[in-house]
Amino acid sequence: MNRLLLFAPMGLLIAGFALSVLGLLWSSLIHGGAALYADLLTDPIILRVLWRTAWIAVVTTGLCAVLGYPLALFLARSPRRNLWLILVISPWLVSIVVRTFGWMVLLGNRGVINTSLRGWGIIDSPIRILFTPTAVIIGLVHVFIPFMVIAILSSLLQQDRRLEEAGRILGGTRWQTFRRVTLPLSMPGVTGGCSLVLLMAAGAIVTPLLLGGLRDRMLGTQIYSEIFQVYNFDRATAMAVLLLVLALLLVAPLRLLEARLRHRLEAG
Amino acid sequence: MRTGLSVRTIAALLLILLPAPLVIVIGSSFSPLAVLGFPPPGFSWRWYLEFLRTPEWLWAFGVSAGIALASAVLTTLVALGAALALQGAPARWRGWAETAILAPLLFPHAALGIGLLGWLILAGLNGTATGILAAHLILCVPFAYRPIAVSLAQIDTSLAEAATILGADPRQAFRRVTLPLLRPGIAAAMLFSFIISFDEVTVTMFLVGPETTTLPVSIYARLNDSADPVVAAISSILILLTAGLVLLMDWLVGLRIFIDVEEEGRHPAA
């Protein structure tokens, strides 16, 4: 009884979250129904946005994993981990809008990168990075990579270091030990981090709106403009449901991989 | 085992690139001219004064700070209650409850924004601070729950038992033993929740109204028109505030709380 009372406020928040998810599904069925979805799924613009959202999310996640893993490994082994962690965690907690703004200053035609390259005589005319998918991906990787680093770092730190030593003593090279011992044991962190980044990248709004061109819309930005420029709430709701479905489809293979890995680890 | 050269190179590159955009923003905020650039052509506090002189910016700052403060206190209380309720509960229940608590973290924010907006419109709360606060409570509570649950798991339960044996009633045992031991977790939860709420933009941008808007959303709206040094000045204030809170958290609790390793009873600042 006491426990229930203690948990009640949290229950209220969970209910609030569940209701907003259910409300979303419900109102998209009531107000638009099948016709609205059929309309959306035959719209070539929406299809292109869906495809773009999917590939940008996947590329972002891949880059976060490939770049984030070495950083996590470095942090796990570094004696001055705490100092470096400050450099990872402070940018992570700064508002997305501010970090994206930093990239606008860096990547613009008269931005830091173009000015320096021209100053050094490497290029004559500015290269266009801002308002391209490349800029969106750079921004998203910057925004989400700390999540990946923290997920991987946490699973690296849970490993028993003696397993690695055993691998080395038994004659494995450094690379073999990494591939056969360290990497498989840290895979839960990698798949966990990847799911998180995929979901967040698929639903991103601010970064693609500010760094992407008008033609590089993602689903999140499309939803936002549907509400605040077109004032079509029903269509936006249906798109939000599409976003959910897309996110689930993107994460599903990772979940399968995770289950299989766990099975294999437990089987020894 | 030392890490290889390629690992260290990538790590070093990222450790430079992660803070780089923020350093650039701070640098360009001191520009004496109305054009944004780095390095700035001179040094002046002009844009900081402009921020202090513009009521709209100050109001947005106040709204953000108020909502963040309220959501830090409330989510910490809610998370503390939930963590205590789940302590010693059957593993299966606990698992379910924790999945439900952390679910908002894994939900695409664009979709969550629309879902919440729908309810807030029904309740007549869209565009109000109350509505934004309600949304922030849902968004921030996972961040408050984690550190409290981690530090609760690290407490030796026999300490509270000892207090009970020595004649303390359960309430006294909680107040005099468990609560003081939980202090680092509670501090981390409050700071973490405050920062997340203060900086949130993706969901909040659906919920603001013409009268009530938060600082990050105003920055976004301004950036959509033009990127000028006043935005850089405000952004710099946000950056320094966040960095200050992170350092405070490092000093009070240790950053290890972020890498939550629940089963390890190691010293949290190690």
Side-chain angles (χ1 to χ4, degrees), chain A residues 18-164:
Chain A
L19 278 178
S20 41
V21 176
L22 290 177
L24 188 71
L25 299 173
W26 179 246
S27 77
S28 88
L29 286 177
I30 291 293
H31 295 294
L36 185 50
Y37 285 106
D39 195 39
L40 281 175
L41 289 172
T42 49
D43 185 342
I45 296 178
I46 296 295
L47 290 177
R48 236 174 293 148
V49 167
L50 276 172
W51 167 240
R52 193 179 299 122
T53 307
W55 79 255
I56 288 185
V58 169
V59 171
T60 301
T61 308
L63 283 172
C64 281
V66 170
L67 296 172
Y69 199 99
L71 179 53
L73 197 62
F74 171 79
L75 290 173
R77 306 276 189 266
S78 170
R80 263 168 303 174
R81 185 191 309 138
N82 212 53
L83 179 69
W84 304 128
L85 261 182
I86 293 177
L87 284 185
V88 176
I89 286 174
S90 308
W92 174 44
L93 293 178
V94 168
S95 184
I96 292 181
V97 110
V98 172
R99 286 190 278 163
T100 306
F101 171 43
W103 285 107
M104 289 170 75
V105 182
L106 272 165
L107 299 175
N109 275 355
R110 275 182 297 171
V112 177
I113 290 178
N114 270 317
T115 321
S116 328
L117 286 179
R118 250 191 308 181
W120 297 327
I122 299 173
I123 51 167
D124 297 326
S125 55
I127 16 171
R128 203 181 131 87
I129 316 173
L130 195 59
F131 308 132
T132 66
T134 314
V136 176
I137 290 172
I138 292 176
L140 288 176
V141 169
H142 184 251
V143 167
F144 295 131
I145 203 170
F147 286 97
M148 183 74 83
V149 173
I150 287 168
I152 298 174
L153 178 59
S154 148
S155 79
L156 281 173
L157 289 178
Q158 285 177 53
Q159 276 178 31
D160 190 342
R161 289 291 296 275
R162 282 170 302 183
L163 289 172
E164 263 174 29

Side-chain angles (χ1 to χ4, degrees), chain A residues 3 19 82 93 95 142 209, chain B residues 18 85 87 119 199 220 250:
Chain A
R3 275 181 201 273
L19 278 178
N82 212 53
L93 293 178
S95 184
H142 184 251
L209 267 178
Chain B
L18 275 170
Q87 189 189 27
W119 286 108
D199 287 337
Y220 163 75
D250 184 32

Side-chain angles (χ1 to χ4, degrees), chain B residues 28-120:
Chain B
S28 60
S29 71
F30 294 113
S31 167
L33 306 176
V35 214
L36 201 66
F38 187 89
F43 181 90
S44 85
W45 292 101
R46 177 180 166 190
W47 303 106
Y48 289 87
L49 293 175
E50 165 122 1
F51 164 68
L52 292 174
R53 277 198 217 107
T54 317
E56 289 82 16
W57 285 119
L58 292 175
W59 174 240
F61 186 90
V63 169
S64 279
I67 290 176
L69 206 60
S71 97
V73 172
L74 291 173
T75 53
T76 302
L77 288 173
V78 171
L80 181 62
L84 289 171
L86 292 175
Q87 189 189 27
R92 174 180 294 236
W93 285 23
R94 204 189 147 102
W96 278 100
E98 290 195 337
T99 310
I101 293 170
L102 300 179
L105 221 97
L106 284 169
F107 198 79
H109 279 182
L112 189 55
I114 302 253
L116 287 166
L117 178 60
W119 286 108
L120 291 184

